[in-house]
Amino acid sequence: MSDIVHKIIGLSSSSEDLKELSRFLSLQEKRIRMQAESDVVQWLAQLDPSEHTIGYLRLLVGLLRENLKDLNSFKQLAARLLKEGKLKSDRKRVYQVARQFVQICLLDDPMFGIRALRQGIGTITGGNDSLLTPLHTGALHLCIKAKAYGEAKDIVSASKIELEQKRLGFTIRDYLGYYYYAGHVCCVIKNFRGAFDNFLNVLTAPTEGCVSKIQVYAYQRYVIVSLLEFGEVLFI
């Protein structure tokens, strides 16, 4: 057993142990990043994400590499984290892993990703349906890829009036992406008023003086749904 795995298992109980574990893993970050991918995958296989969430998550972050080869192993390991982990302990790193997970699932298995992300959303939000996180954006993207509009409708049905904190990794791209995808979903299910409201959220978001590509695409659809719903283009 690796000394890192041994430490993770031995220091995953009390709050004091977890603080010590976090300090230890911070010192090991470079080593984990430089370790052979297959070794890190092996270490993760020896851990239980429900009991060793912090260590499991740190090892997964160590696999966030440009040249990641074993995409399927990462996908399976990340899904375990999203389904079983105590995700509130380190939401910023959870969102980093989730972004890579979404990109992999877009390639071959969007439904697999949707199921895991929806469980992760439930854990992160604690049932607070009004909180918007990067997991919502990723889940909607996968729903559109899979044409799973029933799943998507469930996600967008509750108004999102709270945003995840920026310091925890929530970005303007997460915000714009969510409302753009939500608008797309509403178009497909012919809820044109809902589509109008979602595209309007994209167009009125502050983007520090720069118009993003997402906003350009949203404006094109905004014009169409405005005509369908109101018979004219309502100017912002």
Side-chain angles (χ1 to χ4, degrees), residues 10 14 79 169 182:
S14 71

PDB file of all heavy atoms in Angstrom, residues 10 14 79 169 182:
ATOM      1  N   GLY A  10      -5.768   6.384   7.281  1.00  0.00           N
ATOM      2  CA  GLY A  10      -5.534   6.575   8.711  1.00  0.00           C
ATOM      3  C   GLY A  10      -5.973   7.921   9.252  1.00  0.00           C
ATOM      4  O   GLY A  10      -6.154   8.070  10.462  1.00  0.00           O
ATOM      5  N   SER A  14     -11.515  11.871  12.495  1.00  0.00           N
ATOM      6  CA  SER A  14     -11.832  13.059  13.282  1.00  0.00           C
ATOM      7  C   SER A  14     -11.511  14.338  12.514  1.00  0.00           C
ATOM      8  O   SER A  14     -10.762  14.332  11.538  1.00  0.00           O
ATOM      9  CB  SER A  14     -11.039  13.042  14.592  1.00  0.00           C
ATOM     10  OG  SER A  14      -9.666  13.281  14.338  1.00  0.00           O
ATOM     11  N   ALA A  79     -17.436   9.455 -11.095  1.00  0.00           N
ATOM     12  CA  ALA A  79     -18.848   9.150 -10.840  1.00  0.00           C
ATOM     13  C   ALA A  79     -19.042   8.635  -9.420  1.00  0.00           C
ATOM     14  O   ALA A  79     -20.020   8.986  -8.748  1.00  0.00           O
ATOM     15  CB  ALA A  79     -19.354   8.123 -11.858  1.00  0.00           C
ATOM     16  N   GLY A 169     -15.267  28.575  -7.144  1.00  0.00           N
ATOM     17  CA  GLY A 169     -15.085  28.118  -8.526  1.00  0.00           C
ATOM     18  C   GLY A 169     -16.241  28.366  -9.452  1.00  0.00           C
ATOM     19  O   GLY A 169     -16.209  27.928 -10.608  1.00  0.00           O
ATOM     20  N   ALA A 182     -30.630  26.152 -20.574  1.00  0.00           N
ATOM     21  CA  ALA A 182     -32.017  26.144 -20.100  1.00  0.00           C
ATOM     22  C   ALA A 182     -32.943  26.732 -21.159  1.00  0.00           C
ATOM     23  O   ALA A 182     -34.061  26.235 -21.382  1.00  0.00           O
ATOM     24  CB  ALA A 182     -32.134  26.924 -18.795  1.00  0.00           C
TER      25      ALA A 182
END
